[in-house]
Every structure is written in C-alpha cells, then in structure tokens.
Amino acid sequence: MNTNAFALRHIGPREEDQNLMLETLGLDSLDQLIYETVPDDIRLKKPLNLDEPMTEHEYLLHIHDLSKLNKARKTYIGLGYHPTVMPAVIQRNILENPGWYTAYTPYQAEIAQGRLEALLNFQTMVIDLTGMEIANASLLDESTAAAEAMSLLFAVRERDQKKAGINKFFVSENVLPQTLSLLETRANPIGIELIIGNEDTFDFSADYFGALLQYPGKDGQITDIKSFISQAKDARIKVAVAADILSLVKLEAPGKFGADVVIGTTQRFGIPMGYGGPHAAYFATKEAYKRDIPGRIIGVTKDANDNRALRMALQTREQHIKRDKATSNICTAQVLLAVMASMYAVYHGPKGLKFIANKVHNKAATLANALKDLGYEQINTSYFDTLQIKTKSKKIKKIATEKKVNLHYPDKNSVAISINETTSIRDINYLISIFAEAAGKDTIVISTVESHNNISESLQRTSDFLTEPVFNTYHSETELMRYIKTLERKDLALNHSMISLGSCTMKLNAASEMLPLSWFKWGNIHPFAPLKQAKGYLTVLRELEDQLTEITGFAATSLQPNSGAQGEFAGLMVIKAYHESRGDHHRNICLIPSSAHGTNPASAVMAGMKVVVTKSTAEGNIDVDDLREKAELHKDNLAALMVTYPSTHGVYESAIKEITKVVHDNGGQVYMDGANMNAQVGLTNPGNIGADVCHLNLHKTFAIPHGGGGPGVGPICVAKQLVPFLPGNPIVKTGGDKAITAISAAPFGSALACLISYGYIKMLGAQGLTESTKIAILNANYIKHRLQGSFDTLYSGERGRAAHEMIVDCRPFKANGIEVTDIAKRLMDYGFHAPTVSFPVAGTLMIEPTESESKAEIDRFCNAMISIRKEIDSVSKSDTNNVLKNAPHTLEMITSDEWHLPYTREEAAFPLNYIKDSKFWPSVRRVDDAYGDRNLICSCVPIEAYA
C-alpha cells in the first residue's frame, strides 16, 4: 500500500473491494466496464498531460512556498473589499469544520435545521440593518446582487411602464466600477438601457423604471439617498441601494427612506478578502416582490407535530421550475460564507458591531483631521470610513509603495483611503507619516482616538437592529462554540454518511486541499492589489486554468464565473459575442433538450436568446431527428445548443458527435453543461466530443465543498475561436482581446476557493484523476446492480451500463400509496440524505455515489434502499399510518411515554443493525411546505408571531 499516494486516500474502494464489485457485475476488469460504458469513438487516445502527482506533504510544502509570493501589505483600497478580523471560534468551528463545509443545499429540511437556523439569522441581520421586509439567504457577490436588483426592478415595472416600453435604468457614477461593468453585461441582452450619471443632477424623467445608488459612494462620500428616493418615488422610479453593511450600523437603513431593494456584500463581517472571494452578498427587498427574489429564502413553518421548523420557502419560484420564464438563473447561494457572517453578528451583537463601526469611523476622522493639519484637503463632506484627499497622487503613490502600503488612486489629483476593522493607531500614524513626507513636513503623532461624527445628521441611524435574543446571548467563546455545535448536530453532512445526490457529486473535500484557506497570505490579498503583490495567486490561477484547459481539451479558461449558473451565462455571452463579431447579430435561437437542468433555459433567456426545446427519446437520449429538424428550421438564426454530457439521465449518448456536428453545420456553437464532468475526466472531454465551450462546477468534479449550498465556482473553458471573448474586469486585465464585460465582481471570481481544485489536481495527477472517473462509474454501476429487483433503473447505455449516476423509478409505488418524497424522508431514519428527488423525471430518485465512497458505505446505502422497498411492499394505499408516511422519526417521538403507532419504536428508528452504532436523529418531523408559504416568515421574529 503506497501511503504517499493521495489517490489512495481520495478514492473509496480498496483494490480488493474493486475486484469484488467487478465480480458482482460479471466483469473481469475495470477497463472492461469502461469499454461497456463509454462510447469508443469519444475516448481519449492518450493520457492527460499533467504534472506528476504530489503527495499531500509535498503539496502542503509547495502551496506554502507559493503563499510566500503573495505580499500581504497594509491595504486601504476599499472598493468593496476590506481587511477583516475573523473570530478564531468561527474559523475553527465553521470554516475548518467538515460538519459545516461538506453539507449539501438544504432541500431535505428535516436534516438541515442547523444550517437553516444560521441562514435565518443571516436574513434577520440583513433585514434589520437594511430596514427592508424580506431578504434572501445570500447571493454570489455585490455586483451580481446589483444586477439581480436591476432585473427584479425591470420585472416588477408597473403595467403602463411595461406597455410603454420604459427601459432606462439610472446608475450613479459613484457605483463601484466592477458593479458597473457587470450591469453592462446583464442589461443589454434583456433590453435595458443603462444611463450613468450624477445623482445630484438626475432629472427623474418618466423614461426611467429604476435607479441604483451606492451608499456610501465608491470614493467614500455619503449621498443624500433620502431626498433622491423621495423624488424618485414621486416619479414612479424604483430605487436600489448598494450599501456597505458595516456602515449601516451608523447610517440609517435605506428601507426607512423607502428604498425598493438594498444589496451589498457581507465580506466585512469577518470574511477574508481572499483575492476576491468567496463572499456572501446580501439582497433585501419589499415583501410585495417575494415572488421575484433571486436565489433562496429560508422561511419558518411547522412540522407534523406543529413544532416550529425551517425550510427553503417559495420553492415553486426556483429556477428549475420556472425555466425560461425565470428572471434569474441563480441557484447557488454563498451559504458557508453567509453562515460565517451571521455568526460574526451573533458573536459581536449590536453593541459589538457599534463598537467596531465607531472604531472605524473615529479612526477615519482622526486621520482626516491630521491630514488637514498637514495642509491636505479632504473633500468628502459626509463619510463613514473612506477619505478622499485632493493631492497629486503620483508622489503619494511612490512613497506609499516604498513603505509597503496600498492606497486607492482614483485619478492623478486624488487619493482615497479606506479605514477598516484591523486598522490600529500605529497604522494611522504610519499613514500620516506618508503624507507628511510627501508634504515635506514633520509628521503628526496621534496617541488617542477621540469620538467623531462626520455623517450628515439626516442620515444618522436612529432605528434599532439585532434586538432578537440570538444576537444578544452568545458573546463568550464558550457560548458561541456550543451554539455552533448545537446547530451542527442538527445537520447531516459528509462527515456522517454518504450523500448520493445525482448531478451534485458530493465527493471528498480533502483536508489537505482545505488547510491553505485559513493561511494569512492567501486570505489577506485585495483583488485590486498591484499584480506583483499577488504572484502566488497568479501562479496558482494560471496553472489551474492550464490544468482545466488540458482536462477539457480546449484552448483557454476563465476562472471568473463564481457559480455554475454564472458559468452557463458566461459561456452563452461569449458565444453571443463571437456571433456578433462575425456580423451575425440575428443569431438568437438556443436549442435545449427537454431533460436539461432548469438553469439552462434561464441562462439562455438572460443572454437574450430564445429557447427552443428539443425532444428526448423513450431511452432518455436526445431525439437526434427532432434536433436536426429544429436546427435546420432555425439555421439562419441558430446561436447555440446547450447539452449536458453524459446526459442528465445518466447515459453516455453515442450520438453526441453527430449532435454537435448538426449544430455546427447549421451555424451554431455547442455549449456543454459541465455538471457531469466527473464522468469525463481522463476518459473523454468536451473538446473531443465537439463542444465549443463548457462550464465546470469546481464544487462538484473538482472537490470544492458545497458548504451547505455554496460556495461554488463555475469557470468556462473555450475552443480557439472563442478565446478572444473571455470575460474582462474594469480594474485588473483579464480575458481576451475582445473581452466581454464582467461576469463576476472580482477579476478571478472566488480565487481563494480555487486553491482547493488546484490542490485536487496537483495531488491526483493524470492517472489519479482518470482512476477517480473510472471508480465513480464502477460505484454507480455496482449500486445499479445491487438495487435490481427492488428498484428499476429508467435509463441505461447501449450495453446496459449507467454512467456515474442513474435514475431509479419510484412511480410504481404509488399503487401502495407511497410517493418518492416518502422514500426520501424514510432514508433519514436510516442515516442517509436522500438522492436527488424528482429531477429530471418526476417521481424518481437520481443516485450518484462518487468515487470517494467505500464499498462498505455503498453497501449500507443499498441495504437501506432494499429495506425500504420491503417496507413499501408491506403497506397499502388505504394504510396511511405507516413507517414511510410518518418518516422521519425524531428522538422526541421515540422517547415519548406514549406510542400509538402500528409498528414498533425499533422499526421506526433502528430498522437495520448498523444504525444503532451511530444514529443520526432528524431534529424535526416532516415539515409543512404549504403552511410555510401561506404564512411567510423569514426572520427571527419573536415567538408570539408564530401564534
């Protein structure tokens, strides 16, 4: 046993187990299985050209050496990113805890109550600080949230505004530059005209449906949003405000002034800059717009015992339901980061946040006064943390650079300085010395920081916030540690058992991949720092791009999209730019198979395309004849085909090369959804199949943890003709020669999270990556075989094999009165998270085991499924009081003095012997979704509100 080989630790089944599994399948070798599964004409003819794999020890030394190339300078750049202090109790117990970072999106609410509570805290925090009525459970970044706000306001225009075609959206010139770039990307395809200008001279014309203000502005000046919103209301213009969340501790909530949407980032709440992400954005609005909110909302409901329970609310609003009617394709939140930001607020409470905000403001004011005494003009009349100094910036920049300090230089006649939570009195004196040297004067030494208030009186906060008990209880480390643990114990994550979700790939997130995320020199780099200070990052990111380019068989990669849905949109926008560069502005038809993930049609609509759905055959494959007919019908306007490979039905379609050729022959480009890339790596690739662009879910195939529903990263890899159009950034040069405008706020998206995938590839190497793909296929086919006779598999390849996942049919059990949901809930009693429910086929389970699961764990899962099938056979349609309909069973039920159910407590809670060794208890009984939607509550309101 080679204990140095990372593949040995990542891949679950031991060699002897693999042989037993192959024997069960009637196969002589793993290669025979791959031959029977993957069509020969798409197989790669040579291995991937990647570096030899590193051991875990070698990798950690390597990534530590690279971290030294990053220069973590004192940074006062601002522009939406600030140095922070992450409480160690949060770092140790959440960021570094697999109980939190390996959990899945809380679709199964009964085993996700801890995460849901943390997200409810997050929403409450946002609602309180913004003064709005409803908030979602986070978005990808501030700029994306601003674009979603614009789309929402466009969707909720008044009827006569829609009829009149009112499409102008005003954007203050004080908005962050990266936000403006992303707004440009998102506005044009859906017919919004952006007008950028000064809010002080805005004319409030009836031609506008909405406006966006920055509060405070990008250079620190606090705009009088109160009077602007008042005038906008009179003109029937809805207003979105991008607000610095820490400043809202001192600034009055925009909701109090009548704002329609408030967005921003919670990065300042203890989350490292990480060269741009991941960070949880926030999005708050009026309850009237609850059906149009992008992303997820956590709501309060009740369970089968009428006890309070939490769940994702308004799920019919989810994009996989709305499809091409969706106004957003967002299906990823930044859950792990939102949980951490919410715990920052829980730990500090309102008094602690006031202390931090006052400290920041007072130090900014102290610095301003000292610079004034040195003869400098500070031009912000009302500010929170950012000063704008009128001076020749070239001289200041030279001295600051020599003294290893990063400031912001908006133009040649001004310097901006953003004070942050980490700024000390020593730092203030160091800053003063820089300006003193530039002025040729003796420096001024500050010994104390006095209280100041440089915020306009009409904008000062008077409203309370965070009055709920959760924000006023856990202020010692002991108390917070226990609160976090209490929540963690309510959640089933990968550290407890296998999560066999089809299309989600819940594989091992190895500790050695995760460790560097906590290291100072990776966390504390500003995304707009000078490039020479980020050499470690640039080395990793460039090599990761090259690795992904090699793996996909393409010509180049962009890491900017920070979720799979963003990757979809980016890929389509690059295709759109390619067509337009050739004069084909009319190409706007996007073919999408009926089995596609719901974000596909939503992304196409966001990119300004018209969706045409193609049929599937009875075997679950794309109907090639129907595809050809529609491609030829629309050949003059065909822009793209969106296709998932292997298919969403878990099959390697043998006609895939014919499919891509049909699209190319009719003038279109092929976008491949990378959701199932875990079944391709090392065996085939999108370039080999004939695609032109694919996005990759790094949080699936490449081992970034799901974190309870995010972070995700969704880079795009493209063929040669699309390289010039890869996305750019307004501050840091990225992308191609003809780059489209930004897709995400930061130039490289969630750069910190990319370290994980870099390590995954570095330690596995070409052979380990290929072996992982093969074992993922072996594990899936072993499950398929073991479940035969109990569950029918809907689709198989031409030789009867599944890809890396399969769909099992639960619809026949309706004859016994059992729905697929009952099976999902009953699996909780067996200690398992359900596979994907009713996607892509209603009434089915989609199972994907991944390569990381051992034969023993897979057997436990199969035994649970087979046991459940026996339970199904023992009940009838008229018998609704049974072990499946009552599932899941809680500890409270099992230990109750009363038991009136027609089966034993042991049958309910311990149906198989292995469960007794390590029982996971769902913390609530089955939740009532409909009740939660009818009585929407999405914050920590007092208990009386539930009466």
Side-chain angles (χ1 to χ4, degrees):
M1 185 171 85
N2 179 5
T3 59
N4 286 328
F6 176 69
L8 181 80
R9 307 307 187 187
H10 176 77
I11 294 171
R14 307 296 86 191
E15 186 177 351
E16 57 272 22
D17 290 329
Q18 293 175 29
N19 291 333
L20 285 171
M21 295 162 83
L22 289 165
E23 188 180 321
T24 302
L25 293 171
L27 295 167
D28 295 327
S29 68
L30 193 53
D31 286 341
Q32 185 185 346
L33 171 65
I34 300 308
Y35 170 76
E36 292 183 8
T37 306
V38 185
D40 193 55
D41 68 329
I42 65 166
R43 289 285 304 276
L44 297 178
K45 306 308 178 194
K46 57 182 181 180
L48 297 171
N49 182 21
L50 297 169
D51 292 343
E52 285 298 307
M54 292 180 170
T55 68
E56 293 183 71
H57 178 66
E58 288 169 342
Y59 173 70
L60 288 170
L61 291 174
H62 166 74
I63 201 71
H64 186 261
D65 286 344
L66 285 181
S67 76
K68 294 175 185 175
L69 299 178
N70 293 327
K71 306 303 177 188
R73 305 290 193 225
K74 287 290 183 179
T75 294
Y76 308 95
I77 295 171
L79 294 179
Y81 302 93
H82 302 267
T84 61
V85 178
M86 183 195 299
V89 62
I90 294 174
Q91 176 177 318
R92 175 57 57 90
N93 293 289
I94 296 177
L95 176 62
E96 298 174 351
N97 181 351
W100 284 95
Y101 67 69
T102 70
Y104 180 60
T105 306
Y107 285 111
Q108 297 295 337
E110 297 83 358
I111 50 175
Q113 289 296 299
R115 221 166 331 129
L116 289 164
E117 182 171 328
L119 291 175
L120 193 75
N121 294 344
F122 176 86
Q123 290 176 177
T124 305
M125 172 186 88
V126 170
I127 289 168
D128 280 9
L129 287 168
T130 61
M132 301 305 292
E133 295 167 348
I134 192 169
N136 72 11
S138 77
L139 287 178
L140 304 175
D141 57 42
E142 177 170 335
S143 300
T144 303
E148 296 290 345
M150 175 182 71
S151 298
L152 180 144
L153 295 181
F154 190 56
V156 302
R157 287 172 297 166
E158 295 175 23
R159 187 174 297 175
D160 61 329
Q161 288 178 319
K162 290 180 179 177
K163 197 173 180 182
I166 302 301
N167 73 334
K168 286 186 177 179
F169 188 72
F170 173 77
V171 181
S172 164
E173 62 192 10
N174 293 314
V175 160
L176 298 173
Q178 64 269 28
T179 295
L180 180 56
S181 182
L182 209 152
L183 289 171
E184 290 169 354
T185 309
R186 295 278 290 268
N188 182 53
I190 57 174
I192 294 174
E193 183 183 352
L194 290 185
I195 306 294
I196 295 99
N198 189 315
E199 56 260 48
D200 293 334
T201 57
F202 181 55
D203 64 0
F204 298 96
S205 150
D207 294 335
Y208 292 85
F209 70 88
L212 174 68
L213 305 177
Q214 191 87 36
Y215 181 63
K218 64 180 179 182
D219 294 323
Q221 177 66 29
I222 299 173
T223 304
D224 182 9
I225 66 166
K226 185 177 183 180
S227 58
F228 183 97
I229 292 171
S230 176
Q231 292 177 75
K233 268 195 171 338
D234 292 341
R236 297 196 307 158
I237 297 170
K238 294 181 174 67
V239 179
V241 176
D244 178 314
I245 196 161
L246 186 60
S247 77
L248 293 181
V249 174
K250 289 189 70 68
L251 292 171
E252 189 53 273
K256 299 295 181 184
F257 301 143
D260 296 281
V261 184
V262 186
I263 63 97
T265 175
T266 59
Q267 184 263 321
R268 294 198 86 155
F269 279 18
I271 311 300
M273 292 181 289
Y275 205 47
H279 308 131
Y282 69 83
F283 188 106
T285 187
K286 297 179 175 178
E287 191 160 350
Y289 306 143
K290 65 187 179 185
R291 290 279 169 186
D292 296 278
I293 294 177
R296 306 176 188 143
I297 305 169
I298 307 309
V300 179
T301 186
K302 61 181 182 177
D303 74 357
N305 281 358
D306 287 339
N307 291 325
R308 178 181 181 270
L310 307 176
R311 35 80 73 174
M312 291 203 292
L314 304 178
Q315 289 195 35
T316 53
R317 192 206 75 268
E318 293 260 15
Q319 306 314 323
H320 62 260
I321 303 291
K322 280 192 167 183
R323 299 177 70 82
D324 56 335
K325 300 294 189 295
T327 55
S328 169
N329 68 350
I330 293 293
C331 65
T332 304
Q334 294 280 24
V335 171
L336 186 67
L337 294 310
V339 167
M340 291 166 64
S342 77
M343 289 301 176
Y344 181 91
V346 168
Y347 195 40
H348 291 304
K351 291 178 181 175
L353 290 181
K354 286 175 185 176
F355 173 79
I356 293 166
N358 284 330
K359 184 174 68 169
V360 168
H361 179 69
N362 292 339
K363 284 176 182 169
T366 298
L367 176 60
N369 290 341
L371 295 182
K372 183 180 177 183
D373 290 344
L374 286 171
Y376 289 96
E377 182 184 357
Q378 198 287 116
I379 59 179
N380 286 340
T381 55
S382 178
Y383 60 86
F384 168 60
D385 64 357
T386 300
L387 311 176
Q388 203 172 167
I389 312 300
K390 196 171 182 181
T391 184
K392 298 292 183 187
S393 58
K394 189 175 181 181
K395 193 171 185 180
I396 299 289
K397 187 174 184 178
K398 182 176 183 297
I399 297 168
T401 302
E402 288 171 355
K403 289 182 176 286
K404 300 181 179 180
V405 170
N406 292 328
L407 305 176
H408 176 47
Y409 307 97
D411 54 57
K412 62 183 180 181
N413 293 314
S414 62
V415 177
I417 311 168
S418 291
I419 302 303
N420 59 74
E421 181 189 4
T422 72
T423 306
S424 66
I425 293 179
R426 179 185 293 178
D427 296 329
I428 296 294
N429 283 318
Y430 199 64
L431 286 166
I432 294 168
S433 72
I434 291 170
F435 284 84
E437 184 176 333
K441 296 181 178 181
D442 291 337
T443 192
I444 297 169
V445 178
I446 301 298
S447 57
T448 57
V449 175
E450 295 179 359
S451 182
H452 297 271
N453 199 335
N454 288 277
I455 296 170
S456 303
E457 191 175 345
S458 64
L459 299 176
Q460 291 175 21
R461 185 162 197 127
T462 58
S463 54
D464 288 335
F465 60 94
L466 306 188
T467 57
E468 296 78 9
V470 71
F471 298 109
N472 294 277
T473 303
Y474 307 107
H475 300 327
S476 75
E477 178 169 337
T478 306
E479 287 297 316
L480 186 67
M481 175 181 67
R482 289 175 182 157
Y483 177 60
I484 291 171
K485 190 66 180 178
T486 298
L487 298 189
E488 181 196 338
R489 290 174 63 189
K490 296 179 180 180
D491 282 12
L492 190 147
L494 273 178
N495 62 341
H496 187 276
S497 62
M498 166 181 172
I499 301 178
S500 59
L501 287 148
S503 193
C504 292
T505 315
M506 298 291 292
K507 64 171 67 181
L508 171 74
N509 316 118
S512 52
E513 295 157 5
M514 299 296 295
L515 286 173
L517 271 64
S518 298
W519 296 356
F520 182 82
K521 287 198 171 183
W522 292 117
N524 287 278
I525 308 297
H526 194 289
F528 305 140
L531 293 178
K532 61 186 178 183
Q533 294 177 21
K535 286 182 180 177
Y537 261 116
L538 295 175
T539 300
V540 167
L541 297 173
R542 298 280 186 258
E543 188 171 345
L544 179 58
E545 287 175 355
D546 291 344
Q547 290 167 339
L548 298 177
T549 299
E550 168 66 16
I551 287 166
T552 56
F554 280 130
T557 294
S558 168
L559 296 169
Q560 193 178 125
N562 52 5
S563 81
Q566 294 283 74
E568 288 179 21
F569 176 66
L572 293 176
M573 289 301 289
V574 164
I575 288 173
K576 183 183 175 78
Y578 165 75
H579 285 313
E580 290 177 352
S581 75
R582 295 156 53 90
D584 289 343
H585 294 265
H586 54 281
R587 289 197 175 272
N588 70 339
I589 298 294
C590 187
L591 301 179
I592 299 181
S594 58
S595 62
H597 195 278
T599 55
N600 285 180
S603 296
V605 169
M606 284 171 56
M609 296 182 184
K610 182 180 176 185
V611 174
V612 173
V613 177
T614 67
K615 296 176 184 175
S616 295
T617 66
E619 294 77 31
N621 299 328
I622 291 173
D623 186 326
V624 181
D625 291 336
D626 184 62
L627 176 90
R628 182 179 289 106
E629 180 184 321
K630 284 169 178 167
E632 290 174 354
L633 176 65
H634 297 289
K635 65 182 180 182
D636 294 335
N637 298 309
L638 182 61
L641 164 73
M642 297 185 83
V643 61
T644 300
Y645 199 80
S647 75
T648 312
H649 292 147
V651 175
Y652 292 91
E653 298 185 41
S654 57
I656 188 63
K657 282 194 169 182
E658 182 185 356
I659 289 166
T660 56
K661 185 176 185 301
V662 166
V663 175
H664 289 145
D665 289 348
N666 288 283
Q669 296 280 286
V670 176
Y671 163 87
M672 182 169 287
D673 188 311
N676 292 340
M677 194 68 198
N678 209 47
Q680 287 195 45
V681 178
L683 299 181
T684 184
N685 63 42
N688 193 44
I689 290 164
D692 300 289
V693 54
C694 76
H695 92 267
L696 301 171
N697 297 98
L698 298 192
H699 49 288
K700 296 182 182 180
T701 304
F702 295 97
I704 290 177
H706 285 66
V713 179
I716 55 169
C717 309
V718 298
K720 186 177 179 181
Q721 75 275 13
L722 299 181
V723 174
F725 309 101
L726 288 173
N729 178 275
I731 299 174
V732 175
K733 173 72 175 76
T734 63
D737 299 334
K738 302 173 184 175
I740 62 170
T741 43
I743 291 294
S744 301
F748 300 98
S750 293
L752 183 63
C754 287
L755 295 176
I756 303 164
S757 299
Y758 174 75
Y760 173 81
I761 296 168
K762 272 291 197 189
M763 289 185 284
L764 278 176
Q767 185 177 341
L769 287 167
T770 306
E771 189 75 5
S772 295
T773 308
K774 290 178 178 179
I775 300 302
I777 293 168
L778 172 63
N779 283 355
N781 280 279
Y782 178 72
I783 289 177
K784 178 175 179 285
H785 182 86
R786 281 224 51 205
L787 295 184
Q788 278 177 7
S790 296
F791 296 88
D792 293 331
T793 302
L794 274 187
Y795 306 109
S796 299
E798 291 177 1
R799 295 187 177 96
R801 301 298 182 191
H804 64 310
E805 63 187 5
M806 79 217 74
I807 297 172
V808 299
D809 194 358
C810 302
R811 292 170 297 185
F813 309 138
K814 287 177 182 286
N816 300 64
I818 299 302
E819 303 289 339
V820 67
T821 302
D822 300 320
I823 299 171
K825 303 307 180 190
R826 181 59 175 153
L827 269 168
M828 297 175 192
D829 290 328
Y830 286 81
F832 286 105
H833 193 292
T836 304
V837 175
S838 290
F839 173 81
V841 180
T844 65
L845 292 172
M846 182 158 60
I847 303 171
E848 178 182 353
T850 88
E851 69 275 13
S852 298
E853 297 301 340
S854 67
K855 178 179 180 294
E857 182 69 358
I858 290 170
D859 280 333
R860 271 192 292 273
F861 172 77
C862 292
N863 292 342
M865 289 291 289
I866 292 165
S867 176
I868 288 172
R869 174 58 205 268
K870 291 174 182 173
E871 291 172 350
I872 293 169
D873 290 341
S874 70
V875 302
S876 65
K877 209 167 194 176
S878 59
D879 167 27
T880 57
N881 189 19
N882 60 60
V883 74
L884 286 126
K885 286 293 183 186
N886 290 330
H889 298 81
T890 62
L891 181 62
E892 181 186 13
M893 286 177 71
I894 299 300
T895 57
S896 171
D897 289 340
E898 295 184 6
W899 183 263
H900 302 301
L901 298 174
Y903 46 89
T904 68
R905 297 176 201 256
E906 185 175 33
E907 287 170 329
F910 302 101
L912 293 175
N913 279 333
Y914 76 83
I915 302 169
K916 295 173 182 176
D917 294 333
S918 179
K919 173 69 179 175
F920 179 87
W921 292 101
S923 54
V924 296
R925 293 195 64 194
R926 198 174 303 193
V927 300
D928 188 332
D929 290 330
Y931 179 88
D933 283 349
R934 287 195 308 271
N935 305 276
L936 185 63
I937 299 170
C938 61
S939 64
C940 308
V941 297
I943 196 70
E944 305 83 68
Y946 304 120

